[in-house]
Amino acid sequence: MTERYPGYDVLAKRRTPSWNEQTRQVIDHRLAITREPRYLLPELFNILDAVCARIVPQPGDRPPVPLAALVDTKLYTNMQDGFRYAEMPEQGEAWRRGLAALDEAALAHYEKRFPQISGEQQDDILRRMERGELSGGALGDMPAQMFFAHRVLLDIVSAYYAHPTAWSEFGFGGPASPRGYVRMGLDRRDPWEAVEAKPGEEETARHENARVR
Amino acid sequence: MRVSADPLAAPRAIGGRAPDVFKPGGWVEMRSYAEDDVVDFVVIGTGAGGGPLIARLAEQGFSVIGFDAGPYFRPLEDFASDEAEQQKLYWLDQRIIDGGNPIRMGGKNSGKAVGGSTVHFAMVSLRFRPEWFKSRSALGYGADWPLDWREMWDYYTRAEKALSIAGPVNYPWGPKRPRYPYRPHELNGAAELLARGAEAMGYKWTATPLATVSAPHGNSPPCVYRGFCRFGCSTNAKQSQLVTFIPRAIAAGAEIRDLAMVGRVETGPDGRATGVHYHREGRWRFQKARNIVVAGYAIETPRLLLASANDRYPDGLANSSGLVGKNLMTQSNQAVWGVMDKEVRWNKGPPSLAITEHWNYDDRKNFQGGYCWMAQGPLPVEWATVVTGSRKLWGAPLREQMMQYNHQVGLKMVGEMLPSERNQVTLTDEVDQYGLRIPRITYSWSDNDKALIQHALGEMQTSLELVGATDIFRQEDDTNHLAGTARMGSDPRSSVVSADCRSWDIPNLWICDGSVFPTVGGVNPSLTITAIALRTADRIKALATRGEL
Ligand SMILES: Cc1cc2nc3c(=O)[nH]c(=O)nc-3n(C[C@H](O)[C@H](O)[C@H](O)COP(=O)(O)OP(=O)(O)OC[C@H]3O[C@@H](n4cnc5c(N)ncnc54)[C@H](O)[C@@H]3O)c2cc1C
Ligand code: SF4
């Protein structure tokens, strides 16, 4: 993927009037999250890690967003969604069963554990789950499709897009209090918003993004 | 700026003072009552219904305590500009959902805070179409309200004034209304595109009337267009209950109890309500009262009434009609999304700066009910869940779609769903952290609901096509606001409360929140909830004067 907002780093605004103290604390905390599993056993955590790499693949030229650790923290801190589908167990139990089911399916189809099969093979297993083709075994009575849609996608994708690294990537302004925004109309950019690189103008954009504060 | 201790850890409104929401670290004096003081009114819930009622009752000289299960936030200190952190505004306690079209709860529709859901609501402040108050007799569906729209028109005006609504000089639909107290907000790119699309279709549009000030008001500075409205306004521009009626209530002598979850309404030998059992600071307590108002919104209100069942009222309180928990309604909240060549940067400003109510007022359609649509500006996490949910994208295609964020545009409907007794709130046998039975929320769309949604999706898609959006897709499954479950009416056999929000069965038990709606209309509900609360306060005063309380 070519960079669309080259050189833009939402964290560079940390000390500007776009961030207040409570936001700084919250984001610092998120960036400092422990990488070790606290909720899932290491074996399941490794499977989760492999799943995260397929759901949100990350470029190799920057430190990855620690998605598995973020999901594990959601479970560890028992951060709830406010509802549960009647067919689904509570979130921790759902994740434990679902991850074990992916491992079982990998063994059944490829005779290896989920983290050991190739990326394409992992996608194949995940698609089977998405289509609801996995059942029984570790899943118990939990519908595979629902686990995929309402836990796998929801928890992993929400963790990624709540991270400043993701915001920088797609040019999101990020935190915006107390300063807010001024230029509201189409094709209007405040000086503290990311500059998008038009094709061939990546270097100009990179230069301007270095000054986005 | 100092950041205060965790508002969820211990009550803040206690010991004769409450937080001053306008001053970091500040306090205001607050009257406090003892538990065996028999207060005139206990109000359970401090949101769009409870907030104004508490304030107006106190201002009219009644002794009042407002209870809220949620914390007492200080917006200037507690609110981060962050979707994930601000989940703390929502009612995230466990609820079971089922039915043909289960309603996703949490941030979509329920707040848990002093100020209720208005702390995170999107501020869209609309009046009902007059005919909706008589939708059975005037339009042929749903149920008639026992209220007269002309009286409601006055209460809307008062609500708009109290909330300093910023809106257009002339509103394009419905009977004349006074001009809005504050000038309309400027349009952002997403709203401009709604306007262009509507004009291309020959429909009227307008700047949306919003409960965030466009010029300073009291201690509120004007909106700074930061766009995190749904995650709490750290500017205090938003006119939530937390910064409007609640401070008024305290100034007028009401007490607010935060982190105080009411688990049961008690009734005495004469069948009248005597007080409430509530959980605060680690234990169950009891507050005596002459009157009790339940204002916990369309899930918690019936949950509490059902959970308060006793020998005398085995089916729950106020439930001789059998309708407590029934006729739950949500609103269809489907959307159509696309990509523009231009940069839209839709996250700037309140999310719904422009609206068309065309299909609320045009009856040439082959389904019942109406809908409006508004411009949109979802923040990254919400947007990512839309993309994964509707397009089933993950892996590299998901990241590519997300790269379009600053070019995305969208229109989202608020549509009327029809009442049905099959859609309901019941109690499960599982219990929550307070030991209270968890609600089960059962919901299925009717054929009419589906027809309305399909009509709206087609119209919104046309609008986006006409402004040149590409890569258009539909979000087919979303719902938002809640209503019903304790409907008002003129007949005790087919309703739970009267026009005055007084329960038919227990004369000193009242319900004053979104649950009293017999139908939900095709606009966001909170201004109507607030207007009803203002009316209820006046009615209570009138009844008291006549000795009829
Ligand atoms: C994300 C979002 C955006 C919205 N946007 C808009 C909008 O733009 N325009 C609009 O008109 N509406 C909007 N709404 C809907 C609007 O906020 C609600 O319709 C309205 O606030 C409901 O008012 P209420 O008084 O019935 O309940 P609420 O405002 O939800 O208040 C109920 C309160 O009762 C408390 N409570 C419940 N049970 C108990 C108990 N047993 N003991 C103690 N306390 C209890 C809760 O903690 C809560 O604070 C939005 C809602 C959400 C979630
Ligand atoms: S856009 Fe306005 S109302 Fe919304 S959070 Fe910002 S200041 Fe508050």
Side-chain angles (χ1 to χ4, degrees), chain B residues 38-184:
Chain B
V38 188
V39 292
D40 293 329
F41 282 88
V42 151
V43 180
I44 304 155
T46 58
L53 187 65
I54 297 166
R56 291 298 298 137
L57 288 174
E59 285 170 354
Q60 298 184 84
F62 294 104
S63 54
V64 193
I65 309 176
F67 286 79
D68 209 291
Y72 206 127
F73 286 114
R74 295 172 176 273
L76 300 176
E77 295 164 83
D78 295 328
F79 291 176
S81 285
D82 187 68
E83 283 178 274
E85 166 68 14
Q86 293 298 117
Q87 301 289 314
K88 65 189 178 192
L89 304 184
Y90 303 147
W91 189 288
L92 299 178
D93 300 355
Q94 199 63 271
R95 290 158 162 175
I96 308 295
I97 58 170
D98 66 4
N101 306 88
I103 307 178
R104 282 180 295 138
M105 305 300 298
K108 279 305 303 176
N109 48 34
S110 329
K112 186 177 185 181
V114 172
S117 305
T118 71
V119 177
H120 69 257
F121 85 147
M123 312 171 303
V124 175
S125 299
L126 301 172
R127 298 183 179 203
F128 262 37
R129 174 180 165 179
E131 287 86 343
W132 292 342
F133 291 106
K134 292 283 172 282
S135 74
R136 168 61 53 196
S137 37
L139 300 167
Y141 65 86
D144 283 354
W145 293 53
L147 297 173
D148 183 331
W149 76 268
R150 281 163 297 231
E151 193 189 6
M152 287 300 289
W153 231 236
D154 284 340
Y155 282 103
Y156 278 131
T157 303
R158 292 197 218 175
E160 285 162 356
K161 193 150 178 282
L163 300 174
S164 311
I165 305 296
V169 175
N170 294 305
Y171 196 73
W173 304 276
K176 212 171 133 37
R177 59 181 75 172
R179 60 163 302 172
Y180 286 94
Y182 278 66
R183 68 175 166 80

Side-chain angles (χ1 to χ4, degrees), chain A residues 5 22-23 30 55 57 83-84 86 130 161 169-171 176-177 181 183-184 187-188 193-194 196, chain B residues 76 79 81-82 95 97 105 189 224-226 234 342-343 345 348 394-395 399 402-403 406-407 430:
Chain A
Y5 298 90
Q22 50 275 41
T23 305
R30 191 165 306 148
I55 300 297
F83 63 92
R84 197 176 91 217
E130 184 178 26
Y161 288 102
E169 203 166 71
F170 65 88
S177 190
Y181 295 106
R183 292 160 187 80
M184 296 277 279
D187 266 340
R188 298 294 310 277
E193 288 184 273
E196 182 175 347
Chain B
L76 300 176
F79 291 176
S81 285
D82 187 68
R95 290 158 162 175
I97 58 170
M105 305 300 298
V224 298
Y225 302 131
R226 56 188 277 272
S234 52
K342 286 182 190 292
E343 290 179 11
R345 300 190 189 257
K348 294 197 273 188
W394 49 276
R399 290 194 54 220
M402 289 301 291
M403 292 306 288
N406 286 337
H407 289 260
E430 274 181 67

Side-chain angles (χ1 to χ4, degrees), chain B residues 486-524:
Chain B
R487 59 156 60 160
M488 58 162 63
S490 8
D491 182 346
R493 286 165 306 177
S494 56
S495 59
V496 179
V497 296
S498 70
D500 296 342
C501 291
R502 186 176 206 167
S503 77
W504 293 114
D505 299 350
I506 303 177
N508 68 338
L509 179 64
W510 313 69
I511 298 167
C512 188
D513 62 14
S515 348
V516 303
F517 283 33
T519 55
V520 71
V523 297
N524 317 44

